[in-house]
Amino acid sequence: MATKPLLLSFAFCFLLAFHGCLASQRYRTTQEQGECQIDRLDALEPTNRIQCEAGLVESWDQNHDMFRCTGVAMVRHTIEPNGLLLPSFTNSPQLIYIVEGEGIQGAVIPGCPETFQSSQQSQFGRQFGQGGQMRGGEGRRFPDEHQKIRRFRQGDIIALPTGVAHWVYNDGNRPIIAVILLDVTNSENQLDLNPRRFFLAGNPQNEHEQGGQRWQGRQGSSQRQRRFQPFGRGEEGQQGGQCKNIFCGFDARLLAEAFNVDLETVRRLQNENDNRNNIVRVEGGLQVVRPPRELGGRRWEEEREGEREGYGGRGRRGRYDMNGLEETLCTMRLRENIGNPSRADVYTQQAGHISTLNSNNLPILYWLQLSAERGRLHRDAIMVPHYNLNCHSVVYAIRGSARIQVVNDEGQTVFDEELREGQLVVVPQNFAVVKRAENEEFEWVSFKTNDNAMVSPLAGRTSVLRALPDEVVANAYRVSRDDAKRLKYNRRETTVFTSRRGGGSFSERRAEA
């Protein structure tokens, strides 16, 4: 009888050690981040552009000081109707925001079963065996089986772990615009600090090439980081001068053995004559196994989001309790919509609203160490001055424009410009920032490098000043006690409010100055 409690104690200790091991892996590799000695920030637009058969791939310069500081890379995909983003995986976690459009997406999680299956079998040889004989029996019939397919729509955030292959297809009638953050300093990336996308098909171009240069990392990187220099494509393994997917470097005969297919089929994998680039067009539409669209429509999605309110932990105390039973890896949720105003966390009728997404309402973000914020400011509305306690923030302008000011630790203004649609700006950790919409509404999404990003307001009902004693405020700023009270209590709103003074547009005010 004494051995049973001993075994239970041993098992408990093992679980604690295992959980601690996992927890130690989720933090960002801060010792490998770039130096954040920034005296000026910029409103950036994409610097690299790849025109594809059915879309466009744009990326921002990864070597810019702002990205070297925060340790992230940014990409924007435009996928036309019937466009297919070829299957690929990356060396870092990805956080994707759907700016426009809708479609379907597949994420291939290693070891998980193919739970989507067709009831009717298809002629395998008819689809793949044209022009040659199939090893293992010509004309065998196989049903189509694949992992789960997920539908997404405008306003969705999609989270993808490191190394998980995924593809995207536009089955709608308007282009999909997706903005993607890659967290290259995440501990899951054990290569260098260059963002790398490994394609499984096609002949894609490198979306992060900037004149052939890649970031070599800082001199203080660890030994492991220094061992991994940017990889070149050797002469021996290259099957054709232009083929760039991961199968191109293998010997064709070895691949034929591995897949148990003929050489002609393998040459299709290594097709160096494919000039469609990263996004290809599917003639006649993509035929995959998936539930009927009417069963996965808007009403069902909204009901699912409502059910997740209680599960997501908004009303719970403390952090999300990771006991491993809430979600298995194969059924883990990868998507959450933050574009719907009805789920706003902060709402002011005259000023606007803000929605936040963190590991409490999308648990996978706990392991990715990422979160997001979606906001809208009405005309002349202001988001109070604030700073991020525990993360960097990448602010991408979805629609409209706003005047944004950012101040560093020395009290210097490092950014005081208009941020327009399609541009982004990086706000480093603890740098103070304020946003003001101009002559139109301003909508943005912020990607944050912590799964539970925290914001500290500098003005308003929940501000730092509001929490200080009157005497501390009066003596710190050399003002009367009445002025100290006005500083603390005059602004009743918490996060967003409408300016009463107007004062014209940002460009007009700068011209007058």
Side-chain angles (χ1 to χ4, degrees):
M1 296 294 293
T3 58
K4 191 171 183 179
L6 182 62
L7 289 174
L8 289 174
S9 299
F10 177 76
F12 180 70
C13 292
F14 175 78
L15 286 174
L16 284 178
F18 181 70
H19 184 271
C21 223
L22 288 177
S24 66
Q25 294 296 317
R26 59 181 284 270
Y27 295 105
R28 294 166 56 83
T29 53
T30 54
Q31 71 274 16
E32 294 159 1
Q33 290 177 234
E35 297 287 350
C36 290
Q37 298 177 354
I38 296 178
D39 56 7
R40 176 178 173 80
L41 302 175
D42 299 300
L44 300 180
E45 296 183 357
T47 56
N48 191 33
R49 178 186 176 100
I50 301 173
Q51 186 65 52
C52 306
E53 180 188 43
L56 180 67
V57 176
E58 301 168 288
S59 63
W60 282 259
D61 183 6
Q62 69 193 59
N63 295 306
H64 194 283
D65 289 343
M66 296 196 309
F67 295 122
R68 297 181 65 174
C69 167
T70 55
V72 302
M74 298 296 298
V75 180
R76 184 167 63 203
H77 289 162
T78 302
I79 305 174
E80 298 173 1
N82 291 329
L84 172 67
L85 177 65
L86 293 175
S88 67
F89 57 90
T90 61
N91 62 331
S92 60
Q94 301 179 74
L95 208 57
I96 305 170
Y97 180 77
I98 306 301
V99 178
E100 292 182 11
E102 61 179 342
I104 57 176
Q105 180 256 356
V108 181
I109 302 176
C112 294
E114 292 78 29
T115 56
F116 279 38
Q117 302 173 347
S118 64
S119 58
Q120 296 180 350
Q121 295 181 335
S122 60
Q123 185 71 22
F124 185 85
R126 188 175 301 165
Q127 291 181 342
F128 296 100
Q130 298 180 13
Q133 292 187 348
M134 191 176 62
R135 292 189 176 189
E138 184 179 3
R140 291 195 317 187
R141 301 170 68 89
F142 292 91
D144 187 12
E145 298 179 347
H146 52 75
Q147 289 191 16
K148 180 178 180 178
I149 292 177
R150 298 167 172 86
R151 171 159 291 279
F152 63 85
R153 59 187 171 94
Q154 178 176 321
D156 278 354
I157 284 281
I158 301 173
L160 293 174
T162 304
V164 170
H166 87 289
W167 55 269
V168 175
Y169 175 68
N170 186 348
D171 64 349
N173 53 16
R174 58 174 178 161
I176 293 171
I177 300 178
V179 181
I180 305 155
L181 176 137
L182 297 96
D183 183 13
V184 295
T185 51
N186 192 284
S187 62
E188 296 295 325
N189 174 25
Q190 298 189 25
L191 296 175
D192 52 29
L193 300 184
N194 292 308
R196 299 177 183 273
R197 186 175 296 275
F198 299 80
F199 277 90
L200 300 178
N203 184 21
Q205 295 187 39
N206 186 348
E207 60 191 20
H208 298 289
E209 284 291 344
Q210 302 289 336
Q213 297 181 355
R214 282 184 167 185
W215 180 19
Q216 300 296 324
R218 48 182 294 199
Q219 293 182 352
S221 297
S222 64
Q223 292 295 328
R224 172 178 291 180
Q225 292 284 351
R226 284 199 293 268
R227 284 205 308 269
F228 286 93
Q229 297 298 325
F231 296 116
R233 288 169 44 83
E235 297 288 340
E236 298 178 358
Q238 195 167 339
Q239 305 289 324
Q242 298 299 321
C243 182
K244 295 180 181 178
N245 70 61
I246 62 172
F247 293 114
C248 298
F250 290 110
D251 181 80
R253 293 179 179 83
L254 287 178
L255 285 180
E257 291 286 344
F259 284 99
N260 194 24
V261 295
D262 55 68
L263 284 174
E264 180 62 27
T265 302
V266 168
R267 292 191 183 98
R268 292 296 185 98
L269 296 179
Q270 301 176 326
N271 186 7
E272 67 269 16
N273 297 320
D274 189 343
N275 298 318
R276 298 175 297 171
N277 285 328
N278 311 34
I279 305 172
V280 303
R281 191 176 310 281
V282 179
E283 300 297 338
L286 192 69
Q287 304 299 321
V288 293
V289 181
R290 52 173 166 157
R293 187 165 181 176
E294 57 267 19
L295 296 181
R298 182 67 55 86
R299 177 180 299 178
W300 181 84
E301 292 288 349
E302 291 177 353
E303 290 176 357
R304 288 279 295 168
E305 289 173 7
E307 292 171 1
R308 289 196 293 262
E309 285 293 323
Y311 172 80
R314 288 194 181 187
R316 298 172 59 177
R317 300 177 61 183
R319 292 292 299 257
Y320 178 74
D321 186 15
M322 288 289 180
N323 62 15
L325 299 178
E326 287 81 5
E327 291 184 291
T328 66
L329 181 64
C330 297
T331 59
M332 182 172 288
R333 288 192 299 112
L334 305 179
R335 183 197 65 82
E336 182 77 12
N337 190 278
I338 59 174
N340 192 339
S342 65
R343 74 171 303 283
D345 298 291
V346 175
Y347 176 77
T348 302
Q349 186 174 3
Q350 295 79 14
H353 65 267
I354 295 175
S355 301
T356 58
L357 180 66
N358 53 38
S359 58
N360 289 320
N361 39 34
L362 189 59
I364 192 175
L365 296 178
Y366 178 86
W367 305 111
L368 272 58
Q369 192 65 15
L370 296 170
S371 59
E373 171 189 274
R374 171 72 159 82
R376 171 187 287 181
L377 292 177
H378 300 322
R379 178 178 178 180
D380 288 327
I382 297 175
M383 184 175 181
V384 298
H386 63 278
Y387 63 92
N388 294 289
L389 274 73
N390 55 355
C391 65
H392 303 303
S393 178
V394 180
V395 182
Y396 176 83
I398 298 173
R399 293 178 187 84
S401 63
R403 179 188 183 183
I404 297 180
Q405 290 184 326
V406 182
V407 178
N408 66 9
D409 57 310
E410 297 182 349
Q412 299 175 344
T413 305
V414 294
F415 186 81
D416 186 7
E417 297 181 19
E418 184 181 39
L419 189 70
R420 300 187 301 274
E421 180 177 335
Q423 295 180 328
L424 63 78
V425 64
V426 173
V427 181
Q429 179 183 5
N430 295 150
F431 281 41
V433 58
V434 62
K435 303 181 183 76
R436 173 174 178 159
E438 291 296 310
N439 292 328
E440 55 185 339
E441 286 191 340
F442 175 63
E443 299 182 41
W444 78 93
V445 60
S446 294
F447 301 90
K448 302 195 175 186
T449 58
N450 192 296
D451 71 294
N452 193 24
M454 301 175 65
V455 172
S456 180
L458 297 172
R461 187 157 53 89
T462 58
S463 68
V464 174
L465 292 186
R466 182 73 174 263
L468 296 175
D470 294 349
E471 285 294 322
V472 172
V473 175
N475 284 277
Y477 298 108
R478 301 175 66 179
V479 297
S480 67
R481 188 158 183 170
D482 289 339
D483 287 338
K485 288 181 177 295
R486 281 189 282 270
L487 282 172
K488 290 179 59 176
Y489 302 113
N490 272 14
R491 176 57 61 192
R492 303 293 299 175
E493 296 86 354
T494 58
T495 307
V496 295
F497 63 93
T498 302
S499 173
R500 299 177 180 177
R501 299 178 181 178
S505 68
F506 172 49
S507 57
E508 291 173 350
R509 290 191 295 271
R510 293 198 68 176
E512 292 173 358

